[in-house]
Amino acid sequence: MSSQTVANFLKVIATRRTIYKLQPQLPAGVTTKDIQAVVEAIIKDTPTAFNSQVNRAIILTGESHKKVWDAVTNGIDAEAGKLRPASARDEAFGSIIFFTDDKTTEKLQADFPAWAAAFPQFADHSSGAAQITSWDALEVLGLGAHLQHYNPLVRAALPADVPKGWSVHSQLVFGLPAEAAGEKTFIDNKVQIFQ
Ligand SMILES: Cc1cc2nc3c(=O)[nH]c(=O)nc-3n(C[C@H](O)[C@H](O)[C@H](O)COP(=O)(O)O)c2cc1C
């Protein structure tokens, strides 16, 4: 791998940011099917414990997206708490819902009892990897996105044919970016080499 390839890879990682202000559109030349293909590829190639392939995802757009975010908004009592899900409903184009499949985790626990306690956490790790790589890819496609965790409210409002045995991990809300990312500060966080 050339140093330019690594630099490009790192640039993608650094350029992915939280963008809350969105418009309910896709960039010119990008379709929902493109996003589907990218997320499928990421889920296929994201490593999972014992290659269990525990990750699942769906993409909500149109009425499905609006219905879920309307339910989340209505499920929150505090007016201030409604603002974020209402903005997802009204300003985003869609959302990717990330899940892990409980049956897959339970089978690992049955097959490898010595590791049973670790498998839910391994599913979390793998889901996180798929979520953040997908977020990176949306950035490359010219989309803005933010990551949310209204998991129980989202679960209750999902289309009926989403399997009940899939646990919701997060919602990656996306659309056309309508603002630049905010300022971000960093700690001094060196990775030491020990020899
Ligand atoms: C695991 C994880 C959980 C997060 N949960 C939320 C969330 O529930 N709501 C939200 O608005 N942002 C959430 N974020 C976004 C972070 O606040 C954001 O990534 C962080 O402040 C760094 O900013 P950046 O995304 O612009 O780099 C989450 C990010 C990560 C990685």
Side-chain angles (χ1 to χ4, degrees):
M1 188 181 278
S2 75
S3 59
Q4 188 56 51
T5 308
V6 174
N8 290 342
F9 178 66
L10 294 178
K11 186 156 183 250
V12 169
I13 292 172
T15 309
R16 177 227 51 81
R17 294 292 311 282
T18 293
I19 307 284
Y20 288 118
K21 202 162 174 35
L22 303 169
Q23 290 174 352
Q25 291 150 33
L26 295 179
V30 175
T31 66
T32 309
K33 282 203 170 299
D34 294 331
I35 298 171
Q36 178 192 36
V38 164
V39 174
E40 275 180 6
I42 288 168
I43 287 192
K44 175 168 175 267
D45 288 322
T46 296
T48 52
F50 291 88
N51 193 28
S52 56
Q53 297 169 48
V54 72
N55 282 314
R56 305 286 182 271
I58 62 168
I59 299 172
L60 301 174
T61 62
E63 282 310 306
S64 305
H65 169 87
K66 279 201 180 302
K67 179 173 170 277
V68 166
W69 288 104
D70 195 50
V72 175
T73 305
N74 291 331
I76 294 171
D77 291 334
E79 284 306 312
K82 291 177 182 288
L83 294 177
R84 185 75 72 216
S87 82
R89 178 191 64 200
D90 300 333
E91 297 169 12
F93 182 86
S95 35
I96 306 170
I97 315 297
F98 290 91
F99 308 82
T100 59
D101 176 36
D102 296 342
K103 273 208 203 85
T104 303
T105 299
E106 286 157 14
K107 181 164 187 330
L108 284 171
Q109 290 177 311
D111 290 349
F112 306 96
W115 288 86
F119 287 122
Q121 198 185 33
F122 289 168
D124 289 348
H125 294 172
S126 218
S127 178
Q131 293 168 43
I132 292 174
T133 310
S134 298
W135 198 351
D136 291 340
L138 293 188
E139 161 68 35
V140 174
L141 287 170
L143 288 149
H146 56 93
L147 189 67
Q148 298 301 328
H149 296 89
Y150 295 95
N151 298 350
L153 291 171
V154 166
R155 173 74 261 180
L158 286 174
D161 42 0
V162 175
K164 296 283 178 279
W166 292 6
S167 291
V168 177
H169 283 250
S170 72
Q171 304 83 52
L172 189 56
V173 177
F174 62 87
L176 206 58
E179 65 177 2
E183 198 192 337
K184 187 174 177 183
T185 57
F186 297 89
I187 59 169
D188 185 23
N189 204 355
K190 294 275 177 278
V191 176
Q192 276 184 274
I193 300 174
F194 293 89
Q195 289 180 328

